[in-house]
Amino acid sequence: MRSLYEPEHEALRESVREFIDRHVRPHEEQFIADKAIPREVWLEAGKQGLLGLQVPEEYGGGGVGHDYRFTAVVGEEAGAFSTALSSCWGIHADINAPYLTKLTTEEQRQRWLPRYCTGELWTAIGMTEPSGGSDLAALRTTAVRDGDDWILNGSKTFITNGYSADLVIVAARTDPSKGARGISLFGVEAGMEGFSRGRKLDKVGQPESDTAELFFENVRVPHANLIGQEGQGFIHMMQHLPQERIGNAISTLALARSILAETVQYAKDRKAFGQSIGTFQHNKFLLAELTTKVEVTQAYVDQCIVAHTAGRLTPVDAAKAKWWTAQVQSEVLDHCVQLHGGYGYMREYRVARAWMDARVTKIWAGSNEIMKELIGRDLGL
Ligand SMILES: Cc1cc2nc3c(=O)[nH]c(=O)nc-3n(C[C@H](O)[C@H](O)[C@H](O)COP(=O)(O)OP(=O)(O)OC[C@H]3O[C@@H](n4cnc5c(N)ncnc54)[C@H](O)[C@@H]3O)c2cc1C
């Protein structure tokens, strides 16, 4: 009964499904073994116009940045497939898009966007540091002006796409005396002297996603790579967090939906004591409850997608969608593992992988506690 999508969004959904079925699904085991989704996948996505939806056509994009429903469809399909696919794709094509289209100069757009759309210029965003991610305003990486350049020093951690990115949007402190108003954003490019990456981090789940530490040691970044206004970096990040959070909510819920549907089928097929395990009243009621929870949550997320498309999504409503979908996903996946019995604990089963991969959704992009803090403040508390 979802009513937010038009035929053109559903046509894009079909293309995304076909892309995943052809270029991702058959190679998933290899990606997991290699601990990487190779660049060819993104180049193919670029060829099919699936990376630059939010980028104006004049720079090689799809020119549908005004209608977030197109991006939402990609997030739903990638999210339903896996957390790794949706996070790597989403950071590049969704989260970073407004930074690179709305905050950039004409020269930067000409320089970066055409290759961003093709996947030749793969991107990451570095906010979190080893000393902390929740308290962004306390970040320690510094950038000091030196003539036409800035000299960057510091480090970032847990950066999605960090290992393979050609361009990283890096938040750094440019005026230590001004707190949150002394932070600026820079485009740090692969190959800049003093910019190095640590190992790919060994995560509990999503082995195929690229998550890395980044180090900056006297990196000379040209002033021409300053993104947005000097000293406004924190505000720029806050302005774009609603999109990051609704994007997260969309793919988080999509994975829960997809695994729940598979589990309902499993509960019909699997027999114990001479009957389908789904017909035991406990399991039947459980599946009824989980289905209700997912559908009611979907209605709220859909409302947020419509609001974001109209430019009306508030940071607080996006925070509600972000933490609630993570909570629902966690409950759904844990019950789905249980309903699969021993098979639910085997990595070769999608349900087991989904459960391991998804543990992060209550932590990243603003933890559930931080989301509740924002909502609580909005209540005047
Ligand atoms: C797989 C993965 C990918 C990621 N990708 C990126 C990326 O691409 N770019 C990026 O910049 N970051 C990324 N992150 C970082 C992520 O956003 C941070 O881990 C997250 O913001 C939490 O920061 P932290 O880990 O430093 O925890 P901390 O900030 O140290 O928090 C620790 C605990 O304290 C709680 N806490 C903190 N403050 C409060 C408070 N005021 N009230 C109540 N509880 C509080 C937190 O909720 C958490 O439970 C990624 C993380 C992971 C795991």
Side-chain angles (χ1 to χ4, degrees), residues 44-113:
E44 184 58 39
K47 214 183 276 174
Q48 298 193 19
L50 299 175
L51 298 180
L53 290 169
Q54 296 180 34
V55 174
E57 282 167 309
E58 57 189 295
Y59 306 106
V64 289
H66 58 283
D67 186 347
Y68 190 71
R69 291 175 295 176
F70 286 102
T71 300
V73 159
V74 175
E76 281 176 16
E77 293 307 313
F81 183 77
S82 75
T83 307
L85 185 71
S86 60
S87 66
C88 295
W89 193 342
I91 287 277
H92 175 82
D94 183 7
I95 291 168
N96 289 348
Y99 290 89
L100 296 175
T101 57
K102 294 186 181 156
L103 298 176
T104 38
T105 62
E106 180 56 29
E107 184 276 324
Q108 289 171 335
R109 288 194 284 276
Q110 301 270 5
R111 185 151 50 102
W112 289 329
L113 290 179

Side-chain angles (χ1 to χ4, degrees), residues 202-256:
D202 186 16
K203 305 186 293 298
V204 167
Q206 310 179 61
E208 72 275 44
S209 86
D210 154 0
T211 315
E213 293 170 292
L214 309 178
F215 303 101
F216 313 101
E217 210 182 320
N218 293 321
V219 183
R220 190 168 280 279
V221 181
H223 184 69
N225 279 22
L226 176 76
I227 296 174
Q229 302 280 314
E230 182 184 333
Q232 298 293 302
F234 186 78
I235 292 160
H236 293 323
M237 289 188 282
M238 292 302 117
Q239 281 164 342
H240 294 124
L241 282 176
Q243 178 155 319
E244 174 168 352
R245 288 176 182 154
I246 187 60
N248 247 282
I250 289 165
S251 48
T252 295
L253 187 62
L255 185 65

Side-chain angles (χ1 to χ4, degrees), residues 126-130 139 141 155-157 159 170-171 212-214 216:
M127 304 184 198
T128 306
E129 303 191 346
L139 61 83
T141 296
S155 62
K156 299 286 171 184
T157 195
I159 306 307
V170 175
E213 293 170 292
L214 309 178
F216 313 101

Side-chain angles (χ1 to χ4, degrees), residues 91 125 127-128 132-134 158-160 360 363-365 367 369-370:
I91 287 277
I125 184 159
M127 304 184 198
T128 306
S134 301
F158 309 139
I159 306 307
T160 303
V360 75
I363 298 171
W364 68 10
S367 65
E369 293 73 32
I370 295 297

